[in-house]
Amino acid sequence: MTGTIRKAVLPVGGLGTRFLPATKAIPKEMLPVVDKPLIQYGVEEARQAGIEEIIFVTSRGKASIEDHFDHHFELMATLEARGKTAELELARGMLAGAGKISYTRQPEALGLGHAVWCARNLVGREPFAVILPDDLVLHPRGCLAQLVEAYEKVGGNLVAVEDVPREQTNRYGILDVVEDDGRLAKAKGLVEKPAPADAPSTLSIIGRYILQPEVFDELDRQDKGAGGEIQLTDAMARTIGSQPFHGLRFEGRRFDCGNKAGFLEANIAYALERDDLRESARDILRRYAATS
Ligand code: UTP
C-alpha cells in the first residue's frame, strides 16, 4: 500500500540520560548543533519531504520545544525595530502555520514504540513518517525526502538503514535480509539490539521510518522487548508477512547525536559546511591536531 505521506511523528518523550547534566532541565532535542536545536533539523527535514503536519510526542519538561516553534512577539518586534532583517527572516521561517503542529504527551518513558503509539489518534489510519531528532543526516536531499521517493515505488513499511561494524549490532535494530540490490534491502525479519554473534546482518535501522497504520494495532499489545521497553522494532517485525518491509541505504552522513561523541562530531561536520564558520573550524581542528 502506498499513499501520500502527510504526517510525521517526532518522539521527544525520552529522558536523555546520556546527556546529563545538560538534560536535567533542558530537553535533549533542544541541544544545538552549531546554532540550531536538534529538533529544528528534524522539522526542516520533514518539511523538505513534503510533510504537512508535525506531531510531537512530548513529556514533562519539554515545554521549550513548543515555545521554539511558536510566535515570540517581543523578539520579532525587537528584531524589526533594530532592522535585523536576516534574523527576523530566520525567526519567521521556522514558525509552523496555525494547526500544523500538534503535541501529545507520553506520560511515562516506556520506550520508542510506546511514544509512537501515543500519537495513534493524531495520525489516524494513514501511512506516516517517524523522525528521531537525535539522528542527523547531512545531505542536501534530506533523508526523509529520499525515503518518501523510494516509498512511492515499494510502499509498505520502509526504514532508513546503514551498515555498522558487526561489534555494534547490539546498539541498533537490525534487518534480517531476504533480498538486497545494494540500495534497497527487503527484510524477512527484524531484531532489536542483537549480540554481534546472533545478528542476522549488519544493516542497522536509523531514526527515519515510513510506517503503515497497522503498526498501531501491533503496538496496542504493549509488549515489552529489549531493555524492558515497548520497542517499535518488535511491532514493525510483526507486520512482516502481511506488509512488505524494506530498508533504504540513504545518501548522506549520519550522526548519532544521542551519544556524546556523535554529537561532538556533528557539531564539527555542520560547522565545516557553513561558509561563515568553515575557516575557523578548520583552524581549530588544525591547532588541536597539532598539539594532541
Ligand atoms: P533514546 O533511545 O535516545 O532515549 O530515544 P532517550 O531517553 O532520549 O536518551 P537516553 O538513552 O536516556 O540518553 C530515541 C528517541 O526516542 C524518544 C527520545 O526522546 C528520542 O527522540 N523516546 C524514547 C521517547 O519519546 N519516549 C521513550 O520512552 C523513549
Side-chain angles (χ1 to χ4, degrees):
M1 175 182 158
T2 55
T4 316
I5 308 299
R6 300 187 312 120
K7 300 182 179 181
V9 176
L10 280 77
V12 293
L15 293 170
T17 54
R18 285 172 289 168
F19 266 94
L20 283 168
T23 47
K24 181 156 181 276
I26 294 170
K28 174 174 76 175
E29 299 79 11
M30 285 300 288
L31 297 178
V33 166
V34 185
D35 52 7
K36 198 190 284 185
L38 284 171
I39 192 72
Q40 195 178 332
Y41 288 95
V43 168
E44 287 175 0
E45 190 181 317
R47 284 189 186 149
Q48 197 201 39
I51 297 294
E52 295 163 18
E53 287 182 43
I54 300 284
I55 300 164
F56 286 114
V57 181
T58 71
S59 62
R60 191 183 166 278
K62 305 274 180 168
S64 58
I65 294 177
E66 294 190 33
D67 291 339
H68 187 71
F69 293 101
D70 198 4
H71 191 77
H72 186 328
F73 180 78
E74 192 186 349
L75 175 68
M76 302 293 209
T78 307
L79 291 175
E80 196 150 19
R82 293 187 186 161
K84 296 202 163 197
T85 41
E87 289 83 353
L88 193 60
E89 279 316 301
L90 261 185
R92 280 198 184 124
M94 52 181 286
L95 291 177
K100 298 286 189 189
I101 290 196
S102 314
Y103 299 88
T104 189
R105 277 203 180 201
Q106 182 187 27
E108 273 181 278
L110 297 179
L112 176 60
H114 182 259
V116 171
W117 180 76
C118 288
R120 66 199 179 284
N121 291 333
L122 290 168
V123 171
R125 301 304 289 186
E126 60 180 280
F128 64 103
V130 176
I131 293 181
L132 303 192
D134 44 9
D135 262 339
L136 287 189
V137 178
L138 181 56
H139 194 269
R141 184 150 173 72
C143 186
L144 188 61
Q146 297 176 39
L147 270 190
V148 166
E149 196 183 326
Y151 172 76
E152 280 157 11
K153 296 189 187 97
V154 293
N157 294 306
L158 180 62
V159 295
V161 292
E162 70 177 1
D163 276 299
V164 291
R166 185 160 274 276
E167 62 273 17
Q168 291 180 11
T169 57
N170 58 355
R171 297 189 203 165
Y172 303 102
I174 299 289
L175 265 58
D176 188 355
V177 176
V178 63
E179 271 171 50
D180 191 348
D181 70 4
R183 184 169 166 270
L184 269 175
K186 186 171 186 186
K188 63 175 161 58
L190 304 173
V191 196
E192 184 63 32
K193 301 188 173 67
D198 306 330
S201 78
T202 53
L203 261 194
S204 79
I205 300 175
I206 73 142
R208 302 289 182 276
Y209 311 72
I210 292 179
L211 300 173
Q212 300 302 317
E214 285 75 16
V215 78
F216 292 126
D217 306 332
E218 300 299 335
L219 289 167
D220 277 341
R221 295 157 58 148
Q222 306 275 294
D223 289 345
K224 293 200 168 112
E229 295 196 332
I230 300 171
Q231 297 286 358
L232 183 59
T233 312
D234 296 341
M236 293 189 304
R238 285 196 294 266
T239 66
I240 296 177
S242 49
Q243 290 171 336
F245 192 102
H246 289 90
L248 174 75
R249 287 187 183 82
F250 56 93
E251 289 173 47
R253 253 181 307 155
R254 175 250 185 171
F255 303 94
D256 178 1
C257 295
N259 78 66
K260 287 171 204 169
F263 180 74
L264 183 62
E265 189 183 343
N267 271 282
I268 296 167
Y270 278 74
L272 288 169
E273 289 293 308
R274 292 259 299 249
D275 292 342
D276 59 337
L277 287 170
R278 189 175 302 114
E279 270 320 302
S280 316
R282 279 188 185 150
D283 186 44
I284 293 165
L285 287 171
R286 270 194 292 267
R287 276 190 282 122
Y288 276 88
T291 54
S292 56

